[in-house]
C-alpha cells in the first residue's frame, strides 16, 4: 500500500508539472537556449589535460609508489654510464627508429644519410619566444643533457658510424670494429665476426628541461624534431623514419579529438536523418518529423551547457570526453521517443495542456528512475572507488551532462511538444506547418499533392475520437486499461567510444613508432630496475646465492656480480666479514676505472666513527628475453617478481615506467563488476518503492547481471583489452540493458485478466517501438 501511495503521489506531481510546462511553453523553450548561449561563451577558458599518465594509469598504482621510492633513492644524474632516465622518468627527449627499404642501415650510402640526419638535428634551432626583442635561438648543443665532462650525451652507435665513415674516407681499418667496418659485438675476439648488417637502429637525443623556460623550449624543440624528420623522410624515401618524443603520446591523445571531428559530425548527421524518419508517420498532421531534430537540438544544448559549466569550474578536457555525446544521445533519444509514443496514445479531442500532462504522468516517472540509475552508475564510477582517472573524470562529466539533458527534456523538448500539439490541433502539416485542406477540397488536387497532404481529417465538432496507435507507421487501438501502466526506473546509457576510438588509433605517429619498435626491438624487454631498498648482508654467501638466482636468466648490469667476479679473480673469498667486504668494495673495486660507474648504484650509510659504512641500498639492472607477446610476458614477470619480493629475506622491488600501465589491468577487471553489483542493489531498492510489482525488481536485477557478465564473456572471447574505454562500455551497458528489458518486464507484470501472450504483445507494442527507434538512431552512425 505504501508503494501504491508513493506511486500515485509521484504521478500526480508529474501531471501538475506537465500542465505547468504546457502553460508556459515560451519560457521553457527560450530559457535553455539563452542559458546555453551564455555558458557557451566560457570556452575562452577551455583547457586541455596535459598529463596523460595520470589519466591512463591507475591513480593508486603500486608501481607509482615504487617509482616514487626509486626516485628518492636514486635520482637520475648526468653520468654517461648511469643514464637510466628511461628506467625512471624519461624526461624530455627526441627518438627516432631508422629502417631501410632495402639492404642494411650500415651500408655506406645509408650510413652517410643517417649521419647527415644526425648533423641536421644537431644544427636545428628553435626560437623562443617566436617574436619580440627577447627571442633567442636554441640548438641541441644548448639543450642537450651533458655528461660529467660537459659533453652532450649521444648514442654510442653515432660514434661508431662516425669512425666507420672516417675510416672509409681515409681507406683504413677501424680498430675495435669488425672487418671491413663491421661493428664488433661484445665478447668478440680479435678475429671475431662483427655486426655486418642491421635492419634498424634507434637514436635518442636527451634534453634537459629544468625550469619552466627550459621545459617550454624543450617542448618546442620536440615539435621541430618531428617536423625535421618528416621533411627529411620526404627527401630520402629509401629510409623509413619513425619519430617519437616525450610528448608524442599526449599529442596523439589530444589529436584524436581532431581526427574524430568529421566522423562525429557525420554520425550526428546520420542520426538526425534517422531521428526524423523515426518520428514520421503516413498521416501528415500527426507526423512529428521536427521533433527528431528538436530532440537532437535539446541534447546539443544540454551538452553545451555542461561544457560551459566545466569551463567555468576550471576542469580540463581530454579525448575520452568524445564518448559523452553518445551517452547523452542514447539517453535523450530514448526519452524523446518514449514521450512521443505516449503522446500518440493520448486522446486527440483533449486540450494540449491535458495531453502534455498525461504524457508527463505516464512517462516521467520512468524517465526519472532511468536518470537516477544513470547517475547512480556514473556516480559510482566517478567516486574514489574507481582507480582509473580517465574513467572517473569521464563518468563525472557524463553524470553532469545526463542531469542537464534530463532537465532540458522536461523543459525545452516538452515545450516543443506543446507547439507541435497546437499545430496538430489546427490540422497543420507536421513538416510544412501549413493547414491541410479538408477531404472535399483535396479531391480536385493531383495525386502527389493528395499523398503529401494525407490525413485522417475529422469533424471539428466531433468530441470522441479513438486514440492513435503506438507505432509510428501503423494505427492501433489499445485497451483503455493500458493507458497508464505502472512506471518504473529503467536507465539507458548507450556508449561506444571504444569502436569510435579504434577508428582513430590507426593514423597517429605514436602507433607507427610502436609498431616499428615491436617489429625491430621487441626481442628484449625494457630495462628493469632491481632495487634493494634496505640494508642487506651482501657478504653472506646465502644472500649472494639468492640475489644471483633472482637475476638468473636475465641480461644483467650488476655491481654485485661484477664485484664477486672481481674477488674471485684475485683469489679472495666472496664470503667475508662485513668490514672486509665493504672496505674492499669502497677502496679497491669502485676505484678501478672499469668499475667506477657502479658508484651511482650503491648507497652507503655511515655507522659510527672508525667503522665501515653499511650498504643501505643498491640497484642492478635486468633485461629479459621476450617473444611476440611482450606485454603479457611483462605482466606475468611483474607479478612473479612481486610475489617473490614478499617471501624473500632481502627486501627488494622492481620498477620500470611501463609497470604503471601494466597495473591498470588488475584494476580494470574488478571495477565494472563492483559497479554492476552496487548499481543492481541500488536498482532493487529504488524499484521496490516506485514499482508496484516487486518481482519486476528481482527480474530486472538478474537481467542486468546476466548482460554484464555476458558482455565480459564476449570481450574475453574476442580478445578485447580491458582499457579505460572498455570499462566505460561495461559501465554504460548497465543502463542500456535496463532500458531494453525494464519496460518489457514491467509491462508484462502489470497485465491482468488476459492471457500472457496478449500482455507480451502489448508490452512489445508499447515499449518495443521506442527502444527499437533508439537502437536504430544510435547504432547506425558508428
Amino acid at each position: 500500500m505504501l508503494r501504491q501511495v508513493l506511486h500515485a503521489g509521484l504521478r500526480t506531481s508529474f501531471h501538475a508539472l506537465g500542465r505547468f510546462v504546457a502553460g508556459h511553453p515560451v519560457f521553457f523553450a527560450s530559457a535553455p537556449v539563452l542559458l546555453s548561449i551564455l555558458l557557451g561563451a566560457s570556452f575562452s577558458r577551455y583547457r586541455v589535460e596535459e598529463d596523460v599518465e595520470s589519466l591512463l594509469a591507475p591513480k593508486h598504482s603500486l608501481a607509482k609508489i615504487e617509482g616514487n621510492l626509486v626516485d628518492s633513492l636514486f635520482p637520475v644524474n648526468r653520468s654517461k654510464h648511469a643514464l637510466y632516465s628511461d628506467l625512471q622518468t624519461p624526461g624530455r627527449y627526441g627518438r627516432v627508429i631508422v629502417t631501410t627499404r632495402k639492404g642494411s642501415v650500415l651500408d655506406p650510402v645509408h650510413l652517410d644519410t643517417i649521419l647527415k640526419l644526425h648533423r641536421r638535428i644537431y644544427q636545428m634551432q628553435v626560437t623562443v619566444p617566436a617574436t619580440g626583442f627577447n627571442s633567442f635561438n636554441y640548438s641541441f648543443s644548448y639543450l642537450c643533457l651533458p655528461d660529467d665532462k660537459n659533453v652532450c650525451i649521444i648514442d654510442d652507435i653515432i660514434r661508431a658510424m662516425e669512425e666507420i665513415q672516417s675510416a672509409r674516407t681515409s681507406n683504413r681499418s677501424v680498430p675495435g670494429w669488425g672487418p671491413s667496418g663491421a661493428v664488433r659485438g661484445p665478447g668478440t675476439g680479435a678475429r671475431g665476426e662483427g655486426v655486418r648488417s642491421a635492419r634498424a637502429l634507434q637514436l635518442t637525443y636527451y634534453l634537459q628541461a629544468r625550469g619552466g623556460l627550459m621545459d617550454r623550449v624543450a617542448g618546442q624543440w620536440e615539435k621541430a624534431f618531428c617536423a625535421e624528420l618528416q621533411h627529411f623522410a620526404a627527401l630520402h624515401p629509401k629510409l623509413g623514419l619513425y619519430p617519437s618524443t616525450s610528448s608524442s603520446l599526449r599529442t596523439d591523445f589530444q589529436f584524436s579529438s581532431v581526427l574524430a571531428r568529421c566522423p562525429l559530425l557525420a554520425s550526428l548527421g546520420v542520426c538526425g536523418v534517422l531521428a526524423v524518419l523515426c518520428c514520421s508517420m503516413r498521416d501528415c498532421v500527426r507526423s512529428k518529423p521536427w521533433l527528431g531534430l528538436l530532440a537532437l537540438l535539446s541534447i546539443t544544448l544540454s551538452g553545451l551547457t555542461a561544457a560551459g559549466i566545466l569551463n567555468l569550474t576550471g576542469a580540463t578536457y581530454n579525448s575520452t570526453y568524445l564518448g559523452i555525446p553518445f551517452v547523452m544521445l542514447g539517453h535523450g533519444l530514448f526519452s524523446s521517443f518514449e514521450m512521443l509514443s505516449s503522446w500518440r496514445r493520448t486522446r486527440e479531442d483533449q486540450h494540449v495542456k491535458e495531453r502534455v500532462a498525461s504524457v508527463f504522468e505516464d512517462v516521467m516517472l520512468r524517465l526519472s528512475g532511468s536518470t537516477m540509475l544513470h547517475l547512480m552508475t556514473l556516480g559510482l564510477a566517478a567516486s574514489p572507488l574507481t582507480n582509473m582517472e580517465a574513467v572517473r573524470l569521464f563518468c563525472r562529466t557524463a553524470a553532469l551532462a545526463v542531469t542537464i539533458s534530463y532537465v532540458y527534456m522536461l523543459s525545452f523538448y516538452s515545450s516543443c511538444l506543446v507547439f507541435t500539439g497546437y499545430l496538430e490541433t489546427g490540422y497543420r502539416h507536421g513538416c510544412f506547418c501549413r493547414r491541410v485542406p479538408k477531404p472535399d477540397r483535396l479531391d480536385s488536387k493531383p495525386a502527389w499533392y493528395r499523398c503529401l497532404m494525407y490525413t485522417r481529417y475529422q469533424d471539428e465538432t466531433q468530441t470522441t475520437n479513438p486514440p492513435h496507435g503506438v507505432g509510428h507507421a501503423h494505427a492501433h487501438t489499445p485497451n483503455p486499461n493500458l493507458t497508464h501502466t505502472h512506471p518504473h526506473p529503467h536507465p539507458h546509457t548507450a556508449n561506444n567510444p571504444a569502436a569510435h576510438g579504434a577508428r582513430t588509433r590507426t593514423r597517429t605517429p605514436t602507433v607507427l613508432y610502436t609498431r616499428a619498435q615491436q617489429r625491430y626491438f621487441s626481442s628484449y624487454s625494457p630495462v628493469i630496475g632491481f632495487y634493494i631498498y634496505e640494508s642487506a648482508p651482501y657478504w653472506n654467501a646465502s644472500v649472494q646465492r639468492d640475489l644471483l638466482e633472482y637475476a638468473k636468466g636475465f641480461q644483467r648490469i650488476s655491481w654485485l656480480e661484477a664485484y664477486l667476479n672481481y674477488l674471485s679473480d684475485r683469489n679472495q673469498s666472496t664470503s667475508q666479514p662485513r668490514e672486509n667486504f665493504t672496505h674492499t668494495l669502497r677502496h679497491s673495486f669502485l676505484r678501478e676505472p672499469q668499475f667506477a660507474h657502479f658508484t651511482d648504484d650503491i648507497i652507503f650509510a655511515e655507522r659510527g666513527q672508525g667503522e665501515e659504512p653499511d650498504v643501505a641500498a643498491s640497484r642492478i639492472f635486468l633485461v629479459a628475453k621476450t617473444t611476440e607477446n611482450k606485454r603479457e610476458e611483462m605482466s606475468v614477470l611483474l607479478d612473479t617478481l612481486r610475489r617473490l619480493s614478499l617471501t624473500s629475506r632481502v627486501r627488494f622491488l622492481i620498477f620500470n615506467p611501463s609497470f604503471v600501465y601494466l597495473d591498470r589491468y588488475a584494476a580494470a577487471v574488478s571495477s565494472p563488476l563492483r559497479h554492476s553489483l552496487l548499481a543492481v542493489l541500488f536498482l532493487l531498492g529504488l524499484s521496490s518503492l516506485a514499482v508496484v510489482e516487486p518481482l519486476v525488481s528481482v527480474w530486472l536485477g538478474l537481467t542486468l547481471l546476466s548482460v554484464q557478465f555476458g558482455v565480459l564473456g564476449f570481450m574475453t572471447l574476442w580478445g578485447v583489452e580491458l582499457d579505460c574505454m572498455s570499462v566505460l562500455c561495461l559501465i554504460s551497458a548497465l543502463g542500456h540493458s535496463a532500458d531494453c528489458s525494464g519496460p518489457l518486464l514491467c509491462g508484462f507484470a502489470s497485465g491482468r485478466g488476459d492471457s500472457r501472450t496478449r500482455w507480451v504483445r502489448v508490452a512489445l507494442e508499447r515499449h518495443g517501438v521506442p527502444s527499437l527507434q533508439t537502437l536504430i538512431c544510435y547504432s547506425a552512425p558508428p
Side-chain angles (χ1 to χ4, degrees):
M1 184 177 65
L2 178 61
R3 288 196 300 267
Q4 291 178 349
V5 172
L6 178 61
H7 192 267
L10 291 174
R11 287 168 60 89
T12 303
S13 301
F14 281 118
H15 183 90
L17 178 62
R19 288 186 59 88
F20 181 75
V21 172
H24 307 81
V26 176
F27 171 77
F28 285 101
S30 58
V33 177
L34 294 176
L35 183 61
S36 300
I37 294 175
L38 291 176
L39 291 176
S42 65
F43 270 90
S44 58
R45 302 188 179 186
Y46 171 84
R47 294 187 301 116
V48 177
E49 178 61 50
E50 298 289 339
D51 189 1
V52 178
E53 179 181 313
S54 65
L55 292 175
L56 303 181
K59 186 176 182 181
H60 304 292
S61 169
L62 178 60
K64 284 188 175 181
I65 301 175
E66 294 169 345
N68 293 332
L69 178 59
V70 167
D71 289 337
S72 64
L73 291 175
F74 299 96
V76 178
N77 57 35
R78 302 192 304 172
S79 172
K80 170 65 178 72
H81 297 286
L83 182 62
Y84 303 117
S85 57
D86 282 351
L87 181 63
Q88 295 177 215
T89 51
R92 290 284 190 177
Y93 64 88
R95 182 172 293 153
V96 57
I97 294 177
V98 183
T99 64
T100 178
R101 312 296 183 190
K102 184 178 180 180
S104 169
V105 293
L106 298 180
D107 291 343
V109 61
H110 298 316
L111 187 144
D112 294 342
T113 305
I114 294 173
L115 289 177
K116 179 181 178 182
L117 171 64
H118 172 69
R119 288 189 291 270
R120 291 185 61 167
I121 292 175
Y122 243 82
Q123 298 169 2
M124 182 181 67
Q125 293 183 342
V126 294
T127 304
V128 178
T131 58
F133 295 102
N134 297 326
S135 298
F136 191 81
N137 294 329
Y138 298 86
S139 63
F140 176 74
S141 58
Y142 185 86
L143 297 171
C144 69
L145 191 66
D147 58 13
D148 48 6
K149 298 180 180 179
N150 206 28
V151 178
C152 288
I153 295 175
I154 59 174
D155 292 324
D156 288 334
I157 189 64
I158 292 293
R159 294 190 175 92
M161 290 191 298
E162 289 176 342
E163 291 184 24
I164 293 174
Q165 186 185 55
S166 177
R168 190 176 67 247
T169 303
S170 58
N171 197 20
R172 61 180 174 83
S173 61
V174 183
W177 308 96
S180 301
V183 183
R184 289 190 184 278
T188 58
R191 297 182 180 180
E193 293 294 331
V195 179
R196 294 185 175 275
S197 65
R199 299 170 58 194
L201 61 86
Q202 181 171 263
L203 306 178
T204 304
Y205 299 87
Y206 293 100
L207 308 174
Q208 53 179 329
R210 300 190 179 114
L213 175 61
M214 293 301 296
D215 185 73
R216 185 156 57 103
V217 174
Q220 293 295 327
W221 189 92
E222 290 180 358
K223 294 180 180 179
F225 174 79
C226 293
E228 179 65 27
L229 289 177
Q230 184 178 6
H231 177 69
F232 192 86
L235 297 177
H236 301 83
K238 294 183 179 180
L239 291 180
L241 303 179
Y242 303 95
S244 178
T245 65
S246 62
S247 57
S248 292
L249 180 61
R250 179 179 70 249
T251 302
D252 292 344
F253 184 72
Q254 296 168 356
F255 189 63
S256 61
S257 301
V258 179
L259 293 176
R261 185 179 302 163
C262 292
L264 182 61
L265 293 177
S267 299
L268 293 178
V270 174
C271 186
V273 174
L274 294 175
V276 170
L277 295 177
C278 289
C279 293
S280 301
M281 295 177 63
R282 176 71 177 87
D283 193 319
C284 67
V285 172
R286 294 158 184 86
S287 179
K288 301 290 188 294
W290 291 116
L291 282 182
L293 292 179
L294 291 172
L296 293 179
L297 179 59
S298 177
I299 296 170
T300 303
L301 292 175
S302 59
L304 186 62
T305 303
I309 294 175
L310 291 176
N311 291 332
L312 291 177
T313 56
T316 56
Y317 172 85
N318 66 79
S319 292
T320 60
Y321 290 174
L322 289 173
I324 294 180
F326 291 92
V327 175
M328 301 172 62
L329 194 66
H331 181 66
L333 286 179
F334 182 79
S335 302
S336 62
F337 288 140
E338 275 282 297
M339 294 176 68
L340 181 58
S341 177
S342 179
W343 171 271
R344 288 171 176 166
R345 291 194 298 269
T346 58
R347 292 166 46 194
E348 297 176 357
D349 59 334
Q350 286 182 308
H351 193 273
V352 172
K353 292 183 180 180
E354 290 297 329
R355 298 181 72 179
V356 173
S358 299
V359 170
F360 270 57
E361 183 181 0
D362 180 41
V363 174
M364 284 305 167
L365 184 57
R366 293 198 300 270
L367 297 185
S368 300
S370 172
T371 304
M372 290 183 65
L373 188 56
H374 270 284
L375 298 180
M376 179 61 184
T377 306
L378 295 172
L380 286 172
S383 67
L385 294 174
T386 300
N387 201 19
M388 301 179 70
E389 189 68 7
V391 175
R392 194 179 68 83
L393 293 177
F394 176 93
C395 293
R396 184 186 68 180
T397 307
L400 173 64
V402 167
T403 302
I404 298 175
S405 178
Y406 170 75
V407 174
Y408 279 23
M409 280 292 164
L410 286 176
S411 56
F412 179 81
Y413 184 78
S414 299
S415 301
C416 297
L417 189 64
V418 173
F419 293 133
T420 58
Y422 282 119
L423 293 177
E424 182 178 340
T425 302
Y427 278 90
R428 294 187 175 272
H429 198 283
C431 184
F432 305 111
C433 302
R434 179 181 178 182
R435 187 174 179 86
V436 178
K438 292 186 177 182
D440 55 351
R441 298 182 57 186
L442 282 176
D443 293 339
S444 60
K445 301 294 183 179
W448 66 268
Y449 188 84
R450 292 198 304 270
C451 180
L452 187 63
M453 293 294 181
Y454 169 79
T455 184
R456 291 189 294 109
Y457 212 106
Q458 299 171 359
D459 194 347
E460 295 180 357
T461 60
Q462 185 177 351
T463 59
T464 304
N465 296 312
H468 278 284
V470 182
H472 65 277
H474 62 275
H476 172 69
T477 304
N479 191 319
N481 296 328
L482 299 183
T483 303
H484 304 291
T485 57
H486 302 297
H488 54 282
H490 55 292
H492 181 82
T493 311
N495 181 19
N496 191 12
H500 182 74
R503 195 181 309 164
T504 62
R505 283 198 298 265
T506 59
R507 295 180 59 202
T508 61
T510 301
V511 172
L512 298 177
Y513 171 82
T514 303
R515 290 175 179 172
Q517 190 179 53
Q518 290 176 348
R519 180 179 180 183
Y520 299 108
F521 299 97
S522 61
S523 297
Y524 293 91
S525 71
V527 179
I528 302 171
F530 187 98
Y531 298 90
I532 304 171
Y533 57 88
E534 291 184 358
S535 179
Y538 297 95
W539 57 89
N540 190 295
S542 61
V543 173
Q544 295 172 5
R545 285 194 301 269
D546 289 344
L547 293 177
L548 293 177
E549 183 65 25
Y550 296 158
K552 186 178 180 181
F554 293 90
Q555 299 290 330
R556 300 171 296 277
I557 303 176
S558 172
W559 70 269
L560 180 61
E561 187 174 354
Y563 181 47
L564 296 180
N565 293 334
Y566 174 84
L567 294 176
S568 299
D569 293 342
R570 286 157 179 74
N571 296 321
Q572 298 183 23
S573 174
T574 58
S575 179
Q576 302 178 0
R578 184 190 65 82
E579 291 79 6
N580 295 344
F581 185 89
T582 308
H583 184 272
T584 305
L585 174 64
R586 295 177 62 212
H587 300 287
S588 298
F589 175 74
L590 294 179
R591 292 188 179 182
E592 294 285 340
Q594 65 270 31
F595 303 124
H597 62 275
F598 285 126
T599 304
D600 298 318
D601 298 338
I602 305 173
I603 298 177
F604 293 99
E606 297 294 338
R607 290 174 58 90
Q609 187 174 5
E611 295 187 27
E612 286 292 332
D614 279 337
V615 179
S618 67
R619 64 183 178 182
I620 62 178
F621 302 97
L622 310 175
V623 178
K625 182 74 174 178
T626 61
T627 60
E628 293 181 357
N629 299 323
K630 182 177 179 180
R631 182 167 52 190
E632 288 76 7
E633 292 181 1
M634 290 297 296
S635 181
V636 173
L637 178 63
L638 173 62
D639 293 337
T640 302
L641 291 178
R642 278 181 173 173
R643 286 195 300 268
L644 183 62
S645 68
L646 298 177
T647 59
S648 173
R649 55 180 169 175
V650 177
R651 311 301 296 175
F652 71 88
L653 60 87
I654 59 172
F655 179 74
N656 182 274
S658 63
F659 291 173
V660 175
Y661 298 96
L662 292 176
D663 281 346
R664 67 180 180 165
Y665 294 103
V669 171
S670 61
S671 178
L673 298 180
R674 181 173 62 246
H675 295 157
S676 301
L677 293 175
L678 293 176
V680 168
L681 292 176
F682 172 78
L683 174 66
L684 293 177
L686 177 65
S687 57
S688 63
L689 297 177
V691 179
V692 177
E693 294 294 333
L695 285 179
V696 174
S697 304
V698 180
W699 291 344
L700 190 56
L702 293 176
T703 302
L704 296 183
L705 288 178
S706 64
V707 170
Q708 189 77 343
F709 282 100
V711 174
L712 278 173
F714 277 110
M715 291 175 61
T716 303
L717 181 63
W718 296 333
V720 178
E721 297 179 355
L722 276 174
D723 54 11
C724 65
M725 305 308 295
S726 301
V727 173
L728 293 178
C729 291
L730 287 169
I731 293 172
S732 62
L734 288 173
H736 179 70
S737 57
D739 268 332
C740 294
S741 57
L744 299 176
L745 290 173
C746 192
F748 172 77
S750 61
R752 294 292 185 273
D754 292 319
S755 65
R756 294 184 177 181
T757 303
R758 162 70 176 170
W759 280 101
V760 169
R761 183 174 66 85
V762 171
L764 289 174
E765 289 176 347
R766 288 177 59 87
H767 303 292
V769 172
S771 299
L772 181 60
Q773 290 172 327
T774 305
L775 181 63
I776 292 174
C777 294
Y778 177 74
S779 61

